[in-house]
Amino acid sequence: MTFRSVFDAAFIRTEFDKSGINTHFIPSIWKYVIQNPNCEWRQIPSLPSAAYSLLSSKFKPCTSTVDSVIESTDQVTTKLLIKLQNGGSVEAVIMRYDSSLGKYGGKPRSGGLRSTLCISSQVGCKMGCKFCATGTMGFKSNLSTGEIVEQLVHASRLSPIRNIVFMGMGEPLNNYTALVEAIRVMTSYPFQISPKKITVSTVGIIHAINKFHDDLPNLNLAVSLHAPVQDIRCQIMPAVRAFPLGKLMDALAEYQKKSQQKIFIEYIMLDGVNDEEQHAHQLGKLLETFEVVINLIPFNPIGTLSQFGTSGDQRVTKFQTILRNTYNIRTTVRKQMGQDISGACGQLVINLPNKKSAGVASLTDIEDLHL
C-alpha cells in the first residue's frame, strides 16, 4: 500500500472530513512531525482516537528521505539529495547569506544571517532548455504537494529557512495545483513563511501567469527570459515556441497591473549568443515600461553537456551598464554559490545510470535573487 505524506494538505483535509475529525488538528500534527521527524502517530498528544487510526492507515510523517547532504567548500551552500517514495530523486539547495554585508543606496544594509531554500517542483523537466542540466533528464513526474513541502521540512532541520525560491528541478507552473497548495501550506501555521519571501520562477507559462496573482497574492514572480527576441529564445529554450514573446509580455503587463509588484527577470549570459550590446539594447527596450529587476546570471558549465561558453566579465559589465544607464533598469549580477557541488544555477540533474537508486550529480535553476 502506498502511504500519503501528512503534508498532502488537500488529501488529509478530505480524509479528516470524511471521518468526521475536525481539521483544526492538522497544523498541530504538522508541527509535531517537524519537531519529531521519526515519531510514531501515537506519540502525538491530544488527538481524537479516530485520528490515530486514520493516520496509521493512510499517512506517513514524511514519504521522502534525505539520501545525502553535500556541503560546498564555501561553507554557505548545502545540497540535499532527497529520495522519493516511488524511487525517484530530487535535489534542493540551501544558500546562506549575511544580508547585513555591503551597502544599499549608499547606506549600510540592515539584516543579518538568513537562509534561502531552492526547491524542486518536478523530477526532470519538460522545457528542455539547452543551457540547463535538468533539461537533459527529460520529464519524469510531478511532485505531490507533500513532496514539495517535505523539502522545506528536511532543510529546516539543517538551517532556519527565511526565503524560498522555486527554481530547482522542473517548471513550477507546469505543476500548478500542487505548487499552489504547497505554498499555501508553507505560508500558514506552523511554517508561516511570508509570501513576500517566496519567489516562483517560470519560463513563461502564459495561462498560469494569468491566474497566478489571484491564487497566490503577494508572492514574487521571476521570469526566465534569457533572450530579448523570440528567435533566440526558441534556439536555447525550445519549449517557448508555445509561448510567443509578445503574448508573454502582454500577460506580464496584466500581472503587474493587478499585483502592483516588481517582476524579476532572469537572464543567463551565453557567450556570443545573447550577451552582445545589441541584445542589451533590445532587452532594455522590451522592458523599459515595466517595473523589473534584471538578474544577469553567469552561465554555469554542465560538463560535456555544454554547448555554450561563459560570457567574459567585461561583456557582463557592459551589458549591465547599458541596462542601468540607458534604460534606468535595476540590474544585478548573480553571485555564484555551490558550483563545486553542482548546486549552482542550471546545474541540477539526477543521473539514473540503469539503477533504481539515484546517484548524485547536479542541480537546475538555482536562483539567488536579492529581494
Side-chain angles (χ1 to χ4, degrees):
M1 177 181 175
T2 300
F3 287 83
R4 297 290 289 263
S5 168
V6 76
F7 296 100
D8 271 320
F11 186 76
I12 191 171
R13 289 190 189 107
T14 298
E15 291 300 311
F16 269 45
D17 282 336
K18 282 163 54 177
S19 300
I21 306 168
N22 196 318
T23 57
H24 80 256
F25 288 108
I26 294 173
S28 62
I29 294 171
W30 290 342
K31 182 178 180 180
Y32 192 90
V33 169
I34 293 166
Q35 295 173 341
N36 303 274
N38 299 313
C39 69
E40 299 289 337
W41 293 128
R42 289 285 172 186
Q43 296 172 326
I44 303 177
S46 306
L47 297 180
S49 58
Y52 294 112
S53 299
L54 177 61
L55 290 169
S56 298
S57 65
K58 295 192 175 183
F59 294 93
K60 283 185 176 181
C62 277
T63 57
S64 62
T65 57
V66 177
D67 197 56
S68 64
V69 176
I70 306 172
E71 301 286 350
S72 68
T73 55
D74 60 19
Q75 298 185 318
V76 295
T77 308
T78 304
K79 184 171 71 171
L80 285 70
L81 176 67
I82 297 172
K83 187 76 172 288
L84 306 177
Q85 186 172 223
N86 65 4
S89 296
V90 293
E91 293 182 323
V93 176
I94 302 169
M95 298 166 284
R96 301 173 184 85
Y97 307 85
D98 185 347
S99 57
S100 65
L101 297 177
K103 293 184 177 182
Y104 181 69
K107 298 179 180 178
R109 291 179 180 269
S110 59
L113 295 174
R114 62 181 175 86
S115 291
T116 293
L117 176 65
C118 179
I119 287 181
S120 295
S121 55
Q122 298 177 311
V123 182
C125 186
K126 294 178 181 179
M127 298 295 101
C129 299
K130 295 181 179 179
F131 50 81
C132 176
T134 309
T136 66
M137 292 176 61
F139 174 71
K140 308 296 184 184
S141 63
N142 282 322
L143 298 186
S144 69
T145 296
E147 289 169 335
I148 294 172
V149 175
E150 284 176 15
Q151 293 172 70
L152 174 58
V153 175
H154 294 312
S156 295
R157 292 172 187 148
L158 300 177
S159 182
I161 303 298
R162 193 186 77 161
N163 292 352
I164 292 173
V165 292
F166 281 86
M167 300 173 179
M169 300 173 69
E171 162 56 58
L173 297 191
N174 273 345
N175 190 14
Y176 191 82
T177 300
L179 172 78
V180 170
E181 188 174 86
I183 289 173
R184 287 174 177 166
V185 173
M186 292 173 178
T187 55
S188 62
Y189 183 85
F191 297 99
Q192 294 181 302
I193 303 288
S194 168
K196 295 180 180 179
K197 302 298 183 183
I198 299 177
T199 301
V200 175
S201 174
T202 176
V203 302
I205 312 298
I206 293 171
H207 61 273
I209 290 172
N210 289 338
K211 56 184 180 177
F212 183 79
H213 174 68
D214 291 335
D215 290 333
L216 294 169
N218 300 316
L219 260 69
N220 300 295
L221 178 66
V223 179
S224 296
L225 199 61
H226 302 319
V229 293
Q230 181 70 358
D231 62 341
I232 298 177
R233 287 193 90 218
C234 290
Q235 289 171 30
I236 62 177
M237 307 164 70
V240 302
R241 288 185 178 88
F243 310 108
L245 189 57
K247 291 184 178 180
L248 173 59
M249 301 314 293
D250 290 343
L252 294 179
E254 184 62 25
Y255 167 82
Q256 190 152 75
K257 181 180 176 182
K258 288 193 296 185
S259 70
Q260 295 296 299
Q261 290 176 244
K262 282 188 173 69
I263 298 170
F264 294 92
I265 301 295
E266 301 159 271
Y267 195 96
I268 195 161
M269 300 292 288
L270 303 173
D271 185 41
V273 177
N274 64 352
D275 64 344
E276 297 173 6
E277 291 184 26
Q278 63 172 349
H279 300 132
H281 286 290
Q282 288 172 327
L283 185 63
K285 289 172 184 174
L286 182 69
L287 297 171
E288 61 185 344
T289 61
F290 289 82
E291 287 291 321
V292 298
V293 176
I294 298 176
N295 196 219
L296 303 179
I297 307 168
F299 171 64
N300 288 309
I302 49 178
T304 57
L305 302 173
S306 179
Q307 56 182 286
F308 302 109
T310 303
S311 300
D313 290 346
Q314 284 187 327
R315 185 164 284 195
V316 174
T317 300
K318 181 63 176 178
F319 202 97
Q320 180 184 35
T321 300
I322 291 171
L323 292 170
R324 281 180 167 178
N325 295 350
T326 305
Y327 299 96
N328 197 31
I329 297 175
R330 184 182 168 199
T331 307
T332 61
V333 177
R334 174 78 47 84
K335 177 186 177 184
Q336 295 307 301
M337 303 174 71
Q339 285 178 305
D340 61 314
I341 57 170
S342 294
C345 179
Q347 290 186 310
L348 290 186
V349 64
I350 300 292
N351 289 332
L352 296 170
N354 300 316
K355 297 180 183 179
K356 290 185 179 179
S357 61
V360 181
S362 7
L363 288 153
T364 165
D365 268 7
I366 297 300
E367 307 303 345
D368 168 23
L369 291 172
H370 301 285
L371 302 176

